Amino acid sequence: MKKTVRISFEGKTYDVEVEVLDSAVAAAPAAPVAAAAPAAAPAAAGAGTEVKCPLAGSVFKLKVKVGDTVAANQEVAVIEALKMENPVVAPCAGTVTSVSVKETDTVTDGQVLMTIA
């Protein structure tokens, strides 16, 4: 499946097409652009879908808050890593039920940023 992601570098914005690989292939080391793909996994039954951080960095911008309704693939946060802004998109449509981080927080790869139900 191919997705288009928007990255900003040195004040310029680029739309980049990336291919999202299945989990078996994604386990191999990936190029930095592949890290911009969204990562999500189901939470405990009935708790919603966790939106996980795709790479280590800092939370540059949160674009939603608890109670906001989001569409699938809507940008919900921006992670800054290596002076690049990396969008994080909602893996599904729903309502934001929790936000686990705040702007300027340092985050790790796979850390839960928010939950959508």
Side-chain angles (χ1 to χ4, degrees), residues 9-32:
F9 181 70
E10 294 183 354
K12 294 184 181 180
T13 302
Y14 302 91
D15 288 342
V16 180
E17 189 173 284
V18 296
E19 185 173 357
V20 178
L21 305 174
D22 67 8
S23 61
V25 177

Side-chain angles (χ1 to χ4, degrees), residues 37-42 50-55 88 91 108-114:
E50 293 177 340
V51 179
K52 294 186 178 182
C53 187
L55 71 168
V88 178
T108 59
D109 182 21
Q111 180 176 342
V112 176
L113 302 176
M114 62 189 67

Side-chain angles (χ1 to χ4, degrees), residues 34-101:
T49 300
E50 293 177 340
V51 179
K52 294 186 178 182
C53 187
L55 71 168
S58 64
V59 179
F60 180 71
K61 181 139 183 94
L62 289 172
K63 297 195 167 198
V64 296
K65 60 185 180 313
V66 173
D68 286 354
T69 300
V70 296
N73 298 316
Q74 176 181 332
E75 190 171 301
V76 294
V78 178
I79 303 299
E80 182 179 33
L82 302 174
K83 297 186 181 181
M84 291 182 14
E85 295 177 12
N86 302 279
V88 178
V89 298
C92 61
T95 302
V96 178
T97 57
S98 69
V99 177
S100 306
V101 295

